[in-house]
Amino acid sequence: MVFEWLKRIAPRGLYGRAALILFLPVVVVTIVVTVMFLQRHFEDVTRQMTGSMTREITLVARRIDEAADIPAAQSLAKRETTQLELQLVLPAVEPYGDWHDFWDLSGRVVIEELHSRVAQVIAVDLSRRREVRVTLNSKLGPYQLVFPRGRVSASNPHQLLVLMIGTSLLMTAIATIFLRNQLRPIKRLARAAEEYGKGRIIPYRPAGASEIRSAGTAFLEMRGRIERQNEQRKQMLSGVSHDLRTPLTRLRLGLSMLSPDLPPEPDEIAGLESDVAAMGKMVDAFLDHARDAAQDAPPAAELALDFVRGIVADAQRGGQAVELGKMQGEPNGRAIFRQDSLRRAIENLIGNAVRYGEHAVVEAALGPSWFRISVEDDGPGIPSDRRDEALKPFTRLVPARNQNQGQGVGLGLSIAADIARAHGGQLRLVDGATLGGLRAEIVIPR
């Protein structure tokens, strides 16, 4: 029940909650320290100083009680009051009672100590700010002793309270400005995420503390991946529609040329079957890519180098001209990745290498924070100015890599690049240093 009530009155926004978390402990600690300080310091010091003062008051009271009349009492007490810097009022009007302001915290202690230590005290008047008037009773009637307030209590605690409150307000203002500056990047990140959820992209630059910068960088990377996936999806749909248009046109033309009276020629049937097979291959490749992306298993820690050795062994059993190259790093070192999708990416790179070349070499290296797999072939390679284009789906660079038969549908490098980015890494295309062809490198964090 209490928690429900607290939830209702607690601030809803991040700024209000952060301010509450920051200022509430400070206020509580300040109050506790103030109360303890006032109680332990001012009360103890005031009791000690008042106790010392009561001995002087008792001495003067004793001299007055020894006198036979008022002039004699004034004469006897004059020396003590002069030496003790006390002012004697004899006779004096009997007051109505004790008096002190309600905010005078040490005044209550002074009155209690004087009454408890000096039996002759009738009343204590603290109405004057810097003066104490103690009324005592004697056989000659009431009289007063007047002395400075500073002799029975420490300096007024209001000065401490004013200084403490002023300092607290100043530090609160500074903390508010600092807190606002720290929360501004969070608000900007939240606004960028909210706008992106509505389909709008606004400029955003990570700022603030390191954790907020990390969150902002992660948001930008996520937004970039989503945008790239959307762009690739559009390119795939455009590529499928474009690539299907040619065989469909040939099919339509071939069917229109068939005669209802004569059976089709074997060459015509073979051409139609080839077009149907090409369309099926493109559709299957597109569906496989979409299906694999949707069915990826969660990442797990795997033996990195053994994983690459297994892929090369499977390719060799399949009759592909591929061999295992240098394997660098800890033999039992592990990396975190999705085994099925990364296997498909490497197999696509091997398939491309042996399709456009005659021989391929697979190498792997395991570093302190990264895992790199390289596939190099001895084919014609890809010009450096067209490598970005080669990573787009349904892209076939016919002039550069048409030395071999069995052309694909242009998804191999695109799928490998997508898988590398999904692991937080990248696919790099560089010139091969060993075989002289193309070298494809997948680099992912461990």
Side-chain angles (χ1 to χ4, degrees):
M1 191 68 180
V2 178
F3 291 105
E4 294 295 332
W5 178 74
L6 290 176
K7 288 182 179 179
R8 286 196 298 269
I9 65 174
R12 299 289 182 181
L14 177 62
Y15 183 81
R17 294 189 176 186
L20 183 64
I21 294 173
L22 177 63
F23 298 137
L24 184 60
V26 175
V27 172
V28 172
V29 170
T30 302
I31 293 175
V32 172
V33 170
T34 302
V35 171
M36 294 298 295
F37 180 79
L38 292 176
Q39 180 180 1
R40 299 297 300 274
H41 177 72
F42 282 102
E43 286 192 8
D44 292 350
V45 172
T46 300
R47 291 184 189 279
Q48 182 179 0
M49 296 177 67
T50 305
S52 299
M53 192 65 198
T54 55
R55 289 191 287 269
E56 300 177 5
I57 295 175
T58 301
L59 176 62
V60 176
R62 188 180 300 117
R63 293 289 184 266
I64 294 177
D65 289 339
E66 292 173 354
D69 53 21
I70 292 178
Q74 292 176 340
S75 176
L76 289 174
K78 182 177 181 181
R79 186 178 63 177
E80 279 75 11
T81 56
T82 301
Q83 292 179 350
L84 298 176
E85 298 181 353
L86 299 175
Q87 181 182 351
L88 176 63
V89 180
L90 178 66
V93 178
E94 185 173 353
Y96 294 104
D98 299 325
W99 176 267
H100 71 94
D101 296 323
F102 70 91
W103 63 79
D104 191 352
L105 302 178
S106 59
R108 176 182 54 83
V109 180
V110 172
I111 295 174
E112 291 178 358
E113 287 294 308
L114 290 175
H115 277 289
S116 63
R117 292 177 178 266
V118 183
Q120 295 94 330
V121 173
I122 301 175
V124 180
D125 184 9
L126 301 178
S127 60
R128 294 172 177 83
R129 184 175 181 182
R130 299 183 180 181
E131 190 177 79
V132 179
R133 290 181 174 269
V134 182
T135 303
L136 299 94
N137 191 21
S138 68
K139 62 182 181 180
L140 302 177
Y143 63 94
Q144 282 186 344
L145 291 176
V146 183
F147 52 86
R149 175 67 182 269
R151 298 183 64 178
V152 292
S153 62
S155 59
N156 202 318
H158 303 104
Q159 299 176 0
L160 173 64
L161 294 176
V162 172
L163 180 62
M164 182 183 64
I165 293 174
T167 305
S168 300
L169 292 177
L170 176 61
M171 298 308 297
T172 300
I174 295 174
T176 301
I177 296 174
F178 179 78
L179 183 61
R180 181 178 300 172
N181 292 334
Q182 293 300 311
L183 293 180
R184 187 179 293 115
I186 300 179
K187 293 181 178 179
R188 289 174 49 213
L189 175 59
R191 181 171 177 269
E194 182 179 2
E195 292 296 322
Y196 186 66
K198 298 177 182 178
R200 296 188 291 265
I201 297 179
I202 62 174
Y204 171 74
R205 182 176 60 86
S210 58
E211 293 82 1
I212 303 175
R213 288 177 180 268
S214 299
T217 303
F219 166 73
L220 290 178
E221 292 177 353
M222 178 195 68
R223 188 172 72 177
R225 286 196 299 268
I226 294 175
E227 289 300 311
R228 284 193 298 269
Q229 290 174 357
N230 291 337
E231 183 65 25
Q232 290 174 357
R233 186 178 297 109
K234 294 177 183 177
Q235 291 177 353
M236 284 187 177
L237 292 175
S238 176
V240 167
S241 61
H242 178 272
D243 290 354
L244 287 178
R245 187 174 293 113
T246 300
L248 282 174
T249 302
R250 290 198 302 263
L251 277 175
R252 188 179 298 111
L253 180 60
L255 291 174
S256 66
M257 295 178 64
L258 292 178
S259 173
D261 300 328
L262 299 175
E265 296 291 334
D267 293 340
E268 295 177 345
I269 296 176
L272 295 177
E273 290 177 347
S274 176
D275 290 335
V276 172
M279 288 189 297
K281 186 176 182 180
M282 281 185 284
V283 173
D284 290 341
F286 177 77
L287 294 178
D288 288 342
H289 177 58
R291 187 183 303 112
D292 290 342
Q295 296 178 353
D296 273 350
E302 306 287 348
L303 293 172
L305 301 183
D306 288 347
F307 171 72
V308 177
R309 291 190 184 98
I311 295 176
V312 175
D314 293 341
Q316 290 173 345
R317 284 197 301 269
Q320 293 178 316
V322 58
E323 66 174 276
L324 189 64
K326 295 180 181 179
M327 307 292 285
Q328 301 175 349
E330 301 177 11
N332 295 325
R334 292 179 178 270
I336 299 177
F337 53 85
R338 296 178 179 88
Q339 186 175 11
D340 295 337
S341 61
L342 189 59
R343 169 181 283 271
R344 185 183 181 204
I346 299 173
E347 289 177 347
N348 283 345
L349 295 181
I350 294 175
N352 278 355
V354 298
R355 180 181 299 115
Y356 298 110
E358 297 180 357
H359 185 67
V361 175
V362 179
E363 298 179 348
L366 192 62
S369 59
W370 47 268
F371 177 37
R372 184 181 69 236
I373 307 104
S374 304
V375 179
E376 184 177 345
D377 61 51
D378 57 355
I382 298 177
S384 58
D385 58 345
R386 303 198 65 186
R387 287 171 183 169
D388 291 338
E389 182 184 355
L391 297 179
K392 297 179 180 179
F394 294 101
T395 299
R396 292 183 291 275
L397 304 179
V398 178
R401 294 167 69 88
N402 61 352
Q403 311 296 328
N404 222 331
Q405 60 181 0
Q407 299 294 323
V409 297
L411 280 176
L413 292 178
S414 175
I415 291 173
D418 286 346
I419 293 173
R421 282 192 290 263
H423 284 81
Q426 61 177 337
L427 171 64
R428 299 185 301 206
L429 302 180
V430 297
D431 293 330
T434 303
L435 301 180
L438 180 70
R439 182 181 180 90
E441 295 181 344
I442 292 180
V443 183
I444 63 173
R446 289 185 64 178

